[in-house]
Amino acid sequence: MHMLNLGILAHVDAGKTSLTERLLHSVGIIDEIGSVDAGSTRTDSLALERQRGITIKSAVVSFAIDDSTVNLIDTPGHPDFIAEVERVLGVLDGAVLVVSAVEGVQAQTRVLMRTLQRLRIPTLVFVNKIDRRGARYEELLESISARLTPAIVPMGEVARRGTRDAGFTPFAAARLRAPLLDVLAAHDDELLAAYVEGDVPDDRLRSALARQTGQALVHPVFFGSAITGAGVPELIAGIKELLPAAEGDAGGPVSGTVFKVERGPAGEKIAYARMFSGTLRTRDRIPFRDGEEAKVTAISVFDRGAEVRGTSVAAGRIGKLWGLGDIRIGDAFGTPAKTEDEHLFAPPTLETVVVATRPGDKGALHLALTQLAEQDPLINLRQDEVRQEISVSLYGEVQKEVIQATLADEFGIDVTFEETTAICIERPEGSGSAVEFNGKAPNPFLATVGLRVDPAPVGSGVEFRLEVELGSMPYAFFKAIEDSVRDTLREGIHGWQVTDCTVTMTHSGYSPRQSHAHQGFDKSMSSTGADFRGVTPLVLMTALRRAGGRVHEPMHRFRLETPGDTLAAVLPVLAKLRAVPQTTETRGDASVLEGRIPAAQVHELEQLLPGLTRGEGELEAAFDHYAPIARGTVPQRPRTDHNPLDRKEYLLNVTRRVGS
């Protein structure tokens, strides 16, 4: 069976969900097309999705094209929900990238296309809304070529665009030859030679188009309207003809990846998984993360628009699995198909404190947010036990509304939020070392630990090294020190996570196990793991202080296109928001600025831009790097640990004793 796992991706409001509805109607899965505005679409099932008219969670629905089965995955278009898109991309065989014929290529369109190309996912482009006033054709093709990829092939032309009668007519073979040859010959020397000799039959051209589309070298462009159905039959034919089938040996070793997790009516965890190899059956026990194992208790597969209970799910298919209570999004099970563990998009750079309106809901709030975090791997929870506060990471302000509505609808918890702040990091600028010796004041712990902190290249993370013999102490003590180092670095001198450093253990020592006759182990005279976990934060924070460090804030690269006559009003606002334009270009009546802006200021710029540019300004912003805070007050993050920066407070909390 020809199986294809197809993603529909787009910028918000490009008409992605409407296209999904039209595809399902065209292939006979639904009798009536749902409306995004009316909240009656098949794939937007959450109440907030229907209210806001946006996709928040990915959804899977299946249909057939002749003898081919397509698992269609509708993904969010709003940039605040890019994490939902990220986990879907790894399970796709092909994609349709939707672009509005009116709004054109948007910021999120470019982010998605860059990622699709990096992953080499075969992609068709569908230009939607040709029936809307202001729809473009030639100009939009030029924009796609300039801003997305020059390797495009227009598959037809548009008639009566901008009217309800707008239609899409596929190019005849003779009309298609020239653009096909120009694009395809760039990747095929034999085709180029045949082109020069003037002997390239039409069937060879179509075959080369399918092959290079399947290799993500070229991208056919279709035009149409999800509302009227124009161009959709041609798109369906292109999906079948040009996108490659799912690969995988159903008889091979079991291998799959979980890309979505949800809770059922009874609170049970349900995992959506793509099978890359083998066949998974009910009652099978499967290994996953760090040697854990679980038994599959039930399976559903997607088939011709329905979700069908089954006893197995084979390679190439997507299944819903029950029984995997500890599974998380991104987990590979069985024999891993992929070894890389790399986020495709930047992590969240903002965070906010979630506050329960009713004080009695604090405990329930933590449990509810924990469940939400397990459904979104890029949502990080941070609990402050002292202040009884919970922080969550964010991509943008719209996520607040989603979290608020979800907590109210699904958990009955009303919440508010504190002001959104940027998530900074700390990096050491020099080297620093410290040591605490066993049995020497003021160290109350039965452990010797010496550590040196050195700066490391940007992006290298944290590395732990030894300058002492591994056999000088029991291995469990070394493990306790390393684990404590990594935990402590979550909150540096200013409370932010410390990264891009090397921590080297320079001293070690312990009190061997002591015991008294007939009394057994004497803990007061023998080192334990708790001693090493207790003293390590004190040593590490002293070393960090001596190394010196700086707080770095997240910076976004931005591209701002604005009418030229509004530039004088825009530039002072950019300066006020600490944005630094690096290039300025004039394109006709428009000015295009590119530069860097602090992540914390992006939302304010988005709010101010329409008023500054008569609603014509277009902003594209995405995380680029962390930069040291050059001026002003260094932001402090409230600590959630026992504060090893304050020795007296720390010892009171950890040991209930104060060293002399």
Side-chain angles (χ1 to χ4, degrees):
M1 177 188 294
H2 184 105
M3 180 73 64
L4 172 66
N5 296 298
L6 177 70
I8 305 290
L9 295 88
H11 188 277
V12 66
D13 291 335
K16 170 180 49 58
T17 299
S18 297
L19 176 60
T20 300
E21 290 290 308
R22 175 60 67 174
L23 287 170
L24 296 178
H25 181 267
S26 298
V27 297
I29 295 300
I30 56 177
D31 297 326
E32 184 177 349
I33 296 176
S35 166
V36 172
D37 294 335
S40 57
T41 57
R42 177 71 174 267
T43 53
D44 285 344
S45 57
L46 298 180
L48 189 61
E49 289 179 317
R50 297 178 183 276
Q51 293 165 12
R52 288 289 303 262
I54 60 174
T55 300
I56 296 170
K57 294 292 184 182
S58 59
V60 182
V61 65
S62 177
F63 63 87
I65 306 176
D66 300 329
D67 60 344
S68 300
T69 297
V70 178
N71 287 323
L72 183 64
I73 306 176
D74 185 19
T75 63
H78 198 287
D80 280 13
F81 309 110
I82 196 68
E84 192 76 22
V85 180
E86 174 178 84
R87 49 183 170 262
V88 166
L89 290 176
V91 305
L92 297 181
D93 305 304
V96 174
L97 182 64
V98 185
V99 179
S100 167
V102 180
E103 291 84 9
V105 175
Q106 300 289 295
Q108 186 74 348
T109 321
R110 300 182 70 190
V111 171
L112 292 170
M113 189 59 164
R114 283 197 298 266
T115 308
L116 289 166
Q117 289 179 312
R118 189 165 82 246
L119 296 176
R120 302 194 66 82
I121 296 175
T123 302
L124 309 181
V125 177
F126 183 75
V127 179
N128 191 26
K129 302 184 181 181
I130 63 171
D131 58 318
R132 298 285 183 89
R133 180 179 299 177
R136 296 168 292 162
Y137 178 73
E138 293 89 350
E139 178 187 350
L140 188 53
L141 284 172
E142 293 175 2
S143 177
I144 292 173
S145 177
R147 301 185 64 190
L148 293 183
T149 172
I152 60 172
V153 178
M155 299 302 289
E157 59 187 344
V158 177
R160 303 174 300 280
R161 70 177 184 274
T163 71
R164 187 73 178 178
D165 298 324
F168 175 72
T169 304
F171 284 142
R175 178 80 179 273
L176 194 58
R177 286 181 65 84
L180 272 181
L181 283 166
D182 286 344
V183 174
L184 298 178
H187 306 288
D188 189 330
D189 291 341
E190 292 184 2
L191 186 66
L192 177 61
Y195 177 26
V196 172
E197 295 172 3
D199 182 24
V200 183
D202 292 341
D203 58 347
R204 182 173 179 181
L205 272 181
R206 298 294 295 195
S207 175
L209 175 61
R211 184 177 66 257
Q212 292 195 25
T213 301
Q215 296 170 342
L217 297 174
V218 301
H219 306 282
V221 181
F222 297 83
F223 284 75
S225 167
I227 299 300
T228 67
V232 174
E234 290 76 16
L235 175 63
I236 292 173
I239 290 171
K240 183 187 177 192
E241 177 186 357
L242 301 175
L243 295 180
E247 298 179 350
D249 178 10
V254 168
S255 176
T257 298
V258 173
F259 66 92
K260 178 178 178 177
V261 170
E262 65 183 17
R263 293 278 177 175
E268 73 278 18
K269 185 179 287 189
I270 305 170
Y272 287 67
R274 159 72 192 267
M275 293 295 296
F276 291 99
S277 173
T279 300
L280 185 63
R281 298 176 174 83
T282 52
R283 294 185 294 279
D284 280 356
R285 299 193 68 87
I286 55 173
F288 59 100
R289 184 186 61 252
D290 298 330
E292 297 183 51
E293 192 176 83
K295 182 172 74 172
V296 178
T297 58
I299 295 174
S300 285
V301 294
F302 298 92
D303 186 35
R304 297 179 182 270
E307 180 187 319
V308 182
R309 279 297 177 107
T311 58
S312 65
V313 55
R317 304 200 70 156
I318 289 174
K320 292 175 66 174
L321 311 178
W322 281 258
L324 310 181
D326 294 325
I327 204 83
R328 297 199 299 251
I329 289 171
D331 280 347
F333 56 81
T335 304
K338 300 179 180 179
T339 57
E340 67 269 15
D341 183 20
E342 176 187 7
H343 286 310
L344 307 175
F345 304 105
T349 55
L350 305 172
E351 70 177 357
T352 185
V353 173
V354 188
V355 181
T357 304
R358 297 182 294 270
D361 284 341
K362 285 185 177 180
L365 175 60
H366 181 265
L367 179 61
L369 287 173
T370 300
Q371 288 195 14
L372 292 183
E374 76 181 10
Q375 298 175 30
D376 191 335
L378 296 186
I379 283 184
N380 298 313
L381 297 185
R382 184 172 180 270
Q383 180 145 14
D384 187 335
E385 298 289 355
V386 177
R387 297 168 185 80
Q388 293 293 297
E389 292 178 346
I390 304 174
S391 300
V392 297
S393 56
L394 301 169
Y395 276 101
E397 295 295 316
V398 175
Q399 274 184 288
K400 283 184 178 180
E401 182 181 347
V402 173
I403 292 172
Q404 187 176 46
T406 303
L407 289 172
D409 295 343
E410 297 185 14
F411 300 95
I413 303 172
D414 294 326
V415 299
T416 57
F417 300 93
E418 295 187 0
E419 183 181 0
T420 300
T421 57
I423 301 174
C424 300
I425 62 169
E426 297 181 37
R427 289 185 176 127
E429 291 198 301
S431 298
S433 59
V435 61
E436 297 261 356
F437 291 100
N438 183 3
K440 290 188 179 181
N443 179 14
F445 301 100
L446 297 178
T448 294
V449 174
L451 298 172
R452 185 179 68 249
V453 176
D454 298 299
V458 172
S460 61
V462 175
E463 183 180 3
F464 182 76
R465 295 178 179 174
L466 296 178
E467 280 186 0
V468 297
E469 291 292 333
L470 187 59
S472 62
M473 293 193 309
Y475 174 75
F477 294 163
F478 286 105
K479 186 69 166 61
I481 294 169
E482 180 176 358
D483 290 346
S484 185
V485 163
R486 296 188 183 278
D487 287 342
T488 303
L489 289 178
R490 292 175 182 171
E491 300 185 42
I493 302 298
H494 300 280
W496 305 102
Q497 181 169 354
V498 182
T499 188
D500 299 335
C501 64
T502 300
V503 179
T504 304
M505 188 173 177
T506 58
H507 297 75
S508 66
Y510 74 109
S511 295
R513 184 181 180 94
Q514 302 290 327
S515 60
H516 299 286
H518 312 297
Q519 293 182 5
F521 175 53
D522 186 349
K523 184 177 179 180
S524 67
M525 299 177 62
S526 310
S527 297
T528 67
D531 288 300
F532 289 94
R533 287 189 293 270
V535 73
T536 296
L538 291 171
V539 177
L540 181 57
M541 296 307 283
T542 301
L544 277 174
R545 274 177 162 162
R546 292 170 178 171
R550 296 188 69 178
V551 175
H552 294 64
E553 65 180 332
M555 300 293 292
H556 283 212
R557 63 180 179 275
F558 74 87
R559 180 184 184 278
L560 175 59
E561 186 169 338
T562 180
D565 61 350
T566 67
L567 187 61
V570 170
L571 288 174
V573 173
L574 290 176
K576 181 181 177 182
L577 297 177
R578 295 192 291 128
V580 180
Q582 295 173 314
T583 63
T584 305
E585 180 183 353
T586 300
R587 294 184 181 177
D589 296 332
S591 295
V592 180
L593 289 78
E594 294 188 2
R596 302 289 183 265
I597 182 172
Q601 309 301 328
V602 172
H603 180 61
E604 186 174 351
L605 179 57
E606 290 172 338
Q607 290 181 312
L608 294 173
L609 193 60
L612 295 169
T613 63
R614 302 187 299 272
E616 299 178 37
E618 179 185 323
L619 176 67
E620 174 184 339
F623 173 78
D624 187 67
H625 68 289
Y626 286 93
I629 294 178
R631 62 181 187 270
T633 304
V634 175
Q636 305 287 321
R637 195 187 205 188
R639 304 193 72 86
T640 62
D641 58 10
H642 294 304
N643 193 15
L645 290 170
D646 185 326
R647 188 180 190 94
K648 182 175 180 179
E649 177 187 342
Y650 178 81
L651 292 175
L652 280 171
N653 282 306
V654 174
T655 69
R656 300 301 177 187
R657 293 181 291 131
V658 181
S660 58

